[in-house]
Structures are given as structure tokens and as C-alpha cells.
Amino acid sequence: MGPTVQYTVAVREERLRLLDLVAAVAADQERAWLAEQREGHAGLRGGKLAQARRATREALAAEREAGHLAGSRDWLLVPGVKAELAARGWDREWPPIPRGGVGAGRRWGTDPGRYDGQHDEGETKFLGRLGLRLPVEVGGQLQRACYWHNAEIEQQLQEWADKWGDGPEVILRESVREFGGVTEISGMLAALTSTPDADELTRRAELRRQVVTTGDLIRAALDRALEAAPERARSEHTRLRRAAVEALQDAKLAERRAAMAKAEQEFAEAADKTEAAEKAEKDATFWTTMASRSRFDAERLTARADQIRDLIDQLKTDPA
């Protein structure tokens, strides 16, 4: 992937679990694609082999960039981040972020109650932590786009806060966070704090709604990845079922070859042809082993296909 920008984003645990399952499917697809590509390397040596390997790496990079292959959950989310940037017209050059312009924690100006819809009985539903590495050209653009989109909004929110202060709502919320409830002092401070009128509160709420965080975009990219996941899973399910059928056919062919070799062994033994009998015995052992391996592969592939069918069903019922 080269140089990256790292993010850690709070998400719902169930969606993170589904993403990991989809990422496993995508990784299997990429490995199968690579194995097919490397079959064409057989018999190559020296410079021709190096050239073929380089061509495969370049093709893999192109397939990942196009979103066709994704060997990790990072690559699963890259197309979604790009799509979110494009949807907002943010897929363009942005000025560098001033030194110290990006810090950890919640973006300044974000409404403390912004994600109330993602809470249940006072507990956040964003209990999962999605660690993500984006290619620097994508991750850097995401960071710069959010910074400059929010810059003027945050300035207006800062001016609002300078004029009106924290307000009673924030004082009470901080008291609950620090002391587990509203203390007498915090209650008095909240009562004495000047309260902006309805128009000012509406103005602040509207400004806060305009703030867009990198986490907002990455969660939206996660939604896009899971929306596209059933198609990817169905494709992999079809591949696995086809491979299972082929493995079963290989097993039956190997069993026939083993039976023929066994018959040749018995014929040679009856004719007292020791060398021919030993060769036939080795052939029978070889084909019996191949038959067992192929049947095992067929069972393994069928089991994996069944798992992916279950995943498809889960994705269908996933509450976005």
C-alpha cells in the first residue's frame, strides 16, 4: 500500500464484525486471483520471471485501486472514502493544514449530543473501534478536506461560544460526566449563566450540523462497503461452489485411476511380474492419496461456501 494515514474510528460492533467477515472473503478472492496469475509464471526463469512478477504486482495494484480486489479491510473501505469525497465535491487539491491544525479527540464545534440517535439507554452504540490505514493520497485528502470545510464553521462557533459561553446545557453535562450527576454548584452556575435566545440556539445548532468529521466520512464509507458486500460474497460463493464441483470430479477420476492401478497390480502379481506389480502398487497408492486430498478439498470448499451463504443472509438483514 505504500505510505499511509492511520485512523481509528468508533463504529457499531455488529458492523465491524460484518466488515471483518467480508474482509476475509475479499482476502480469499485476492489469494485465488494471485494463484491464478502465478500459474502463468511456471517455467519462467531469470529476467522473464522478474518481469512477470512485476506485471502481476502492477495488475494487483490496479485491481485494488478499481475496487475489484481487496486483500484487507483497509482496501475494502478505500473505494467508499473516495466515493464520499467525490459526492461532496471534495476530491480535489486542498491547501496544506496549518501546523497544529489537526488534533486528537472530537472535532471542535461538534455537538456533544450529535450522536444521540446512536445511543441506547444512555450508552453509545459505537462500541467498536475500526483501525484503518488509507493510502496517503486518499487519507491526506480526507484530512485536508474535512479541515478546510470545517474551518470557517468552527470560527463562527468559536465566536458564538465567546459571546455566550458554555451555556447551562454544557455545564450540566460536564457535571454529570465528572461527578455522576448535577451538583449544587453546577446547578447554580447553570441557573446564573446567560441563556441565548431561540434564534441564537437555532443558529448554533445549524452550524454544528454542518461540521463534518473524518469519522463521519469513514463510517459512511463502511456503509458503502457493506452495501456492496453481498455482490462480492455472491461472486465468491459461486467460485467456491464451482471449485468444489471440480475437486469432487478430480476425486472421482483419481478413484478410477486407483482402481485401474489396483487391477493392474493384481494382474501383474498373478503373472508373477514383480516389477510391474510394484509399479502398479505405487500408482494405486498415489491415486488413492490424490482422491482423498481432492475429496477433502471438496468438503472444505463446500463448507466455506456455506459460511459465505450465511454471511449473505446476515448482510441482507443488517440494519444500516
Side-chain angles (χ1 to χ4, degrees):
M1 181 176 281
T4 60
V5 179
Q6 297 188 7
Y7 293 92
T8 300
V9 180
V11 298
R12 286 166 48 198
E13 286 184 305
E14 177 60 16
R15 295 184 75 69
L16 181 59
R17 184 187 70 82
L18 286 175
L19 176 64
D20 285 337
L21 292 175
V22 174
V25 172
D28 287 345
Q29 286 180 314
E30 185 172 289
R31 282 191 289 269
W33 183 89
L34 282 170
E36 184 177 346
Q37 295 296 310
R38 287 165 180 163
E39 287 178 1
H41 298 177
L44 299 179
R45 297 289 184 275
K48 289 185 177 181
L49 178 59
Q51 183 178 3
R53 287 174 172 171
R54 182 168 57 253
T56 295
R57 289 194 298 271
E58 291 173 352
L60 175 59
E63 290 292 301
R64 283 176 167 177
E65 287 290 337
H68 300 151
L69 292 176
S72 67
R73 67 185 188 184
D74 299 327
W75 279 112
L76 271 176
L77 293 178
V78 167
V81 173
K82 289 181 176 179
E84 287 298 317
L85 288 169
R88 291 170 169 80
W90 293 358
D91 53 340
R92 56 185 175 83
E93 291 296 324
W94 292 89
I97 297 174
R99 186 183 299 274
V102 176
R106 190 177 70 222
R107 186 85 188 188
W108 198 96
T110 303
D111 184 355
R114 179 184 183 124
Y115 302 111
D116 282 346
Q118 295 292 342
H119 286 66
D120 184 18
E121 297 181 356
E123 296 296 328
T124 179
K125 294 180 182 178
F126 290 157
L127 297 176
R129 291 296 179 270
L130 169 60
L132 178 66
R133 296 178 304 128
L134 293 175
V136 68
E137 62 273 13
V138 178
Q141 187 179 51
L142 170 63
Q143 204 169 61
R144 291 189 296 274
C146 287
Y147 176 85
W148 289 111
H149 166 78
N150 293 324
E152 184 177 346
I153 301 169
E154 291 182 355
Q155 178 61 36
Q156 293 180 58
L157 284 166
Q158 183 66 65
E159 292 171 358
W160 193 100
D162 290 343
K163 179 179 180 180
W164 295 105
D166 287 338
E169 177 188 352
V170 174
I171 293 173
L172 296 177
R173 189 186 295 271
E174 291 297 328
S175 177
V176 171
R177 179 183 302 169
E178 185 172 355
F179 303 108
V182 177
T183 65
E184 183 177 352
I185 294 177
S186 62
M188 291 176 60
L189 288 173
L192 294 173
T193 300
S194 58
T195 303
D197 59 29
D199 289 343
E200 284 292 334
L201 290 173
T202 299
R203 176 171 171 270
R204 183 184 63 171
E206 178 58 31
L207 287 170
R208 283 176 165 178
R209 278 193 294 271
Q210 295 176 40
V211 173
V212 179
T213 69
T214 54
D216 291 334
L217 265 70
I218 290 172
R219 277 186 289 271
L222 171 58
D223 291 341
R224 287 178 180 268
L226 292 182
E227 287 170 6
E231 182 178 353
R232 182 185 295 276
R234 282 192 293 269
S235 173
E236 180 65 359
H237 181 266
T238 299
R239 184 188 73 82
L240 289 169
R241 296 295 297 181
R242 186 183 299 118
V245 170
E246 292 175 356
L248 187 57
Q249 291 173 342
D250 290 344
K252 291 178 178 179
L253 175 61
E255 287 168 352
R256 289 197 294 271
R257 297 290 297 269
M260 291 172 59
K262 188 65 176 176
E264 291 175 4
Q265 177 188 353
E266 293 174 353
F267 180 80
E269 288 175 346
D272 201 24
K273 296 181 178 180
T274 304
E275 185 175 345
E278 290 177 350
K279 180 180 181 304
E281 182 180 14
K282 290 180 180 178
D283 288 344
T285 300
F286 171 79
W287 287 113
T288 299
T289 301
M290 292 300 294
S292 297
R293 288 179 179 175
S294 294
R295 284 200 173 274
F296 174 79
D297 286 343
E299 292 173 359
R300 176 180 57 80
L301 291 165
T302 299
R304 180 57 177 153
D306 290 343
Q307 290 176 344
I308 292 178
R309 169 52 61 187
D310 290 341
L311 173 59
I312 293 171
D313 292 338
Q314 292 178 56
L315 290 167
K316 288 179 180 177
T317 59
D318 172 49

